[in-house]
Amino acid sequence: ASRVLVSSTNSAGHQYALSLHDASGTELQKFDFLTLPEKCAWIDKKEFYCAVPNAFPDKAVMPDDYLRGSIATQDHIISFNLDTQNLALVFSGGAMSMANLTVTAKKDYLMFVNTTDGILWLLKLTQ
């Protein structure tokens, strides 16, 4: 992989940001949407899916509170293309906190776990 998604905060765990870095660590792009890299899955080297929370709690210390399980998010799934900068809504998840996103080899399904109840979901992707 030549690119990686990186999350960052200030020293208090606030002012959360998501960005794209190259293999040398140079920041290539900051994103307008906020999520954790753990909530994303690459489709190919130019496109990825992410479970994006509708909101992070204002007082949350990120990513610590999320990783400890102190907070749950309510997510929707987006796709983002790095070449076109196109962001598209793929699935509005409602009250699900999604994790472990995985795209199947044929790129026709997206799997994720709803961390609220532990149920594995399989979402058919249309292209």
Side-chain angles (χ1 to χ4, degrees), residues 39-111:
K39 289 180 161 283
C40 298
W42 289 92
I43 301 167
D44 55 37
K45 63 183 180 178
K46 298 178 183 180
E47 192 171 6
F48 55 90
Y49 290 109
C50 287
V52 177
N54 293 328
F56 283 113
D58 291 334
K59 304 291 183 191
V61 176
M62 296 301 292
D64 301 20
D65 287 347
Y66 176 79
L67 295 173
R68 272 195 297 265
S70 300
I71 61 169
T73 56
Q74 293 184 358
D75 304 331
H76 55 277
I77 297 176
I78 57 105
S79 67
F80 190 84
N81 185 298
L82 294 169
D83 285 346
T84 64
Q85 298 294 296
N86 184 45
L87 183 146
L89 178 65
V90 174
F91 177 68
S92 181
M96 287 192 275
S97 182
M98 303 171 196
N100 303 325
L101 275 70
T102 305
V103 180
T104 59
K106 292 182 181 180
K107 301 176 186 173
D108 53 349
Y109 289 93
L110 179 68
M111 295 180 288

Side-chain angles (χ1 to χ4, degrees), residues 9-66:
T9 65
N10 64 12
S11 61
H14 303 289
Q15 296 177 348
Y16 192 74
L18 181 70
S19 56
L20 178 72
H21 292 243
D22 66 15
S24 71
T26 302
E27 184 179 283
L28 303 174
Q29 178 177 359
K30 277 198 175 178
F31 298 104
D32 293 332
F33 59 91
L34 296 178
T35 192
L36 296 156
E38 297 89 342
K39 289 180 161 283
C40 298
W42 289 92
I43 301 167
D44 55 37
K45 63 183 180 178
K46 298 178 183 180
E47 192 171 6
F48 55 90
Y49 290 109
C50 287
V52 177
N54 293 328
F56 283 113
D58 291 334
K59 304 291 183 191
V61 176
M62 296 301 292
D64 301 20
D65 287 347
Y66 176 79

